[in-house]
Amino acid sequence: MWLPLLLGSFLLSSPVRGSDSSAATAITCFTRGLDLRKGTEDVLCPANCPLWQFYVFGDGIYASLSSICGAAIHRGVITNAGGAVRVKTLPGQENYPAVNANGIQSQVLSRWASSFSVTPATKDTALEAVGRSVSTARPSTGKRPKKTLDKKAGNKDCRADIAFLIDGSYNIGQRRFNLQKNFVGKVAVMLGIGIEGPHVGVVQASEYPKIEFYLKNFTAAKEVLFAIKELGFRGGNSNTGKALKHTAQKFFTLENGARKGIPKIIVVFLDGWPSDDLEEAGIVAREFGVNVFIVSVAKPTTEELGMVQDTGFVDKAVCRTNGFFSYQMPTWFGTTKYVKPLVQKLCSHEQMLCSKTCYNSINICFLIDGSSSVGESNFRLMLDFVSNVAKAFEISDIGSKVAAVQFTYDQRPEFGFTDHVTKEKVLSAIRNIRYMSGGTATGDAISFTIRNVFGPVKDGPNKNFLIVLTDGQSYDDVRGPAAAAQKAGITVFSVGVAWAPLDDLKDMASEPRESHTFFTREFTGLEQMVPDIIRSICKDFLDSKQ
């Protein structure tokens, strides 16, 4: 299951057992609800967790990606002195509200697959912390980092490529421009910039957009701070739409330091109003897989509203109109308190909906026919087809995943979705698949794959695809297992070669069957199918998001 490590990696310690055989599990400050395996479990939160670093979604009922200890403090079950908490797993909710309580601001989440509640643990539960959690990189505060934080690597839990699109127009003026630079610098520091953490660049919007520096130019916070300090005020009209479009098209290239599988974000700072149209720019940004945030400061006055081309410009530009991607500050003065909430948004990987494209947000399992009729040389051509399809996708621990199962009368899992998290390792694993030889039981193979390959990722965020590659008639029923796969949310493509009957291929394929069924008379024809398969996967992905 693909789940980005938004809150850091950790190691759950062994249970602590008392004389009455009751037990509590010692956890870290950042252990999440989804990291527990039991329906109800007593855990022990440590003391002195940094409140400002907690990620908590909801109130009373919390999304399972929330910090358990953060939720317990938010709920008032424990204080920052730590203590025992009983965690109960609950179903997912359609809405998790944002509530400020006990020093913690929880965040809004529109939907999540599972939840949990927190209550005081029973008094007879043993409460002794044991074990040691793996050190976790957290957002920098600008203070001297702890020894456990690799300053050069940066905050690995906030991997994002971010362009700050600052307002350099006459609307803002020189004084507020300097305050804006100061605020952006504070945000950059708290993000925890580093080689393996967030990378940032700056674009200035004025009469004409200017890319001040790219993602690749600086990988340390102090370097970024110096570069921001040196920025000069350009003046002119606030042609934010022009600058946003330019940034979406030109900024996030591999040559300029953008990384594959990492969310692309543009944070647009607006002092007052834009003097051009943002709608087209917002569309372009979404097409390029960029998440647009609008940080608006000092709303237009009544007199100024007449100069605004479209008063709904924020909703036209942002990634989604769900409230998450817009952020309001009343003034550039006293902005320190607004830094942390903005950083929390930018580090919320699961919320970056516009980063999710067909190339980085899907799971593909290849179900490969290894029957005797295929033969060793043709089997190699089938593996070449599998490799060429896989190459098109951004495979990573936070991106797309690939798995493979070979089947005859039996099934052999070659590798699962979590076995290889780089494209190179996936392609190597495909090359190393050994031909089985045997009969053809495609229906059993589909059922096996649903249970054992897709079962562990059924609640994950990626869209699931199954590509069945076969050269002949199945000895068992394929219609029932294929229908079960589609009912489980798996889109099925059938790819037939040589003697594969068209009726079987259509019975397996998802609707519309014509666009999910492929056939070639010769194994060499598989190569020509690759672009059409990739295009069809992307079309299905886009259709599912509308």
Side-chain angles (χ1 to χ4, degrees), residues 50-264:
L51 298 186
W52 68 273
Q53 291 181 355
F54 279 131
Y55 288 87
V56 177
F57 300 85
D59 180 38
I61 295 178
Y62 301 95
S64 61
L65 77 164
S66 303
S67 158
I68 294 172
C69 299
I73 296 173
H74 183 269
R75 191 62 175 165
V77 173
I78 60 173
T79 67
N80 201 32
V85 179
R86 175 156 291 178
V87 184
K88 182 178 181 181
T89 301
L90 299 170
Q93 303 289 311
E94 291 296 324
N95 180 54
Y96 297 88
V99 174
N100 194 314
N102 299 312
I104 295 178
Q105 173 65 60
S106 69
Q107 299 182 54
V108 171
L109 190 62
S110 57
R111 187 178 184 182
W112 195 250
S114 57
S115 313
F116 67 87
S117 64
V118 287
T119 55
T122 54
K123 292 182 180 179
D124 60 350
T125 301
L127 302 176
E128 179 187 354
V130 298
R132 180 173 59 86
S133 66
V134 175
S135 62
T136 307
R138 307 305 306 157
S140 170
T141 62
K143 299 177 181 178
R144 187 182 184 90
K146 296 180 180 179
K147 292 181 180 179
T148 54
L149 175 64
D150 185 341
K151 194 172 182 180
K152 187 175 181 180
N155 179 14
K156 298 178 184 179
D157 303 326
C158 184
R159 286 187 289 177
D161 289 342
I162 304 171
F164 292 112
L165 181 53
I166 64 174
D167 191 343
S169 70
Y170 288 134
N171 279 356
I172 192 169
Q174 180 71 63
R175 185 187 183 199
R176 296 203 303 273
F177 179 77
N178 290 337
L179 292 171
Q180 177 185 215
K181 290 198 300 180
N182 184 50
F183 178 78
V184 172
K186 290 178 180 178
V187 172
V189 168
M190 188 174 281
L191 282 168
I193 295 167
I195 294 173
E196 298 178 53
H199 293 182
V200 304
V202 172
V203 182
Q204 186 173 170
S206 56
E207 196 70 34
Y208 300 98
K210 180 186 178 184
I211 297 177
E212 302 286 359
F213 58 89
Y214 288 103
L215 298 164
K216 66 179 181 181
N217 294 134
F218 309 110
T219 55
K222 64 179 181 180
E223 296 172 344
V224 170
L225 277 174
F226 181 79
I228 291 172
K229 182 180 178 181
E230 295 298 304
L231 297 179
F233 176 58
R234 294 175 60 81
N237 288 324
S238 58
N239 290 330
T240 310
K242 182 189 294 185
L244 176 56
K245 185 176 180 181
H246 179 79
T247 306
Q249 293 174 324
K250 305 293 185 183
F251 186 86
F252 297 99
T253 65
L254 295 177
E255 296 77 15
N256 293 328
R259 296 167 290 177
K260 289 186 177 181
I262 302 295
K264 298 187 286 287

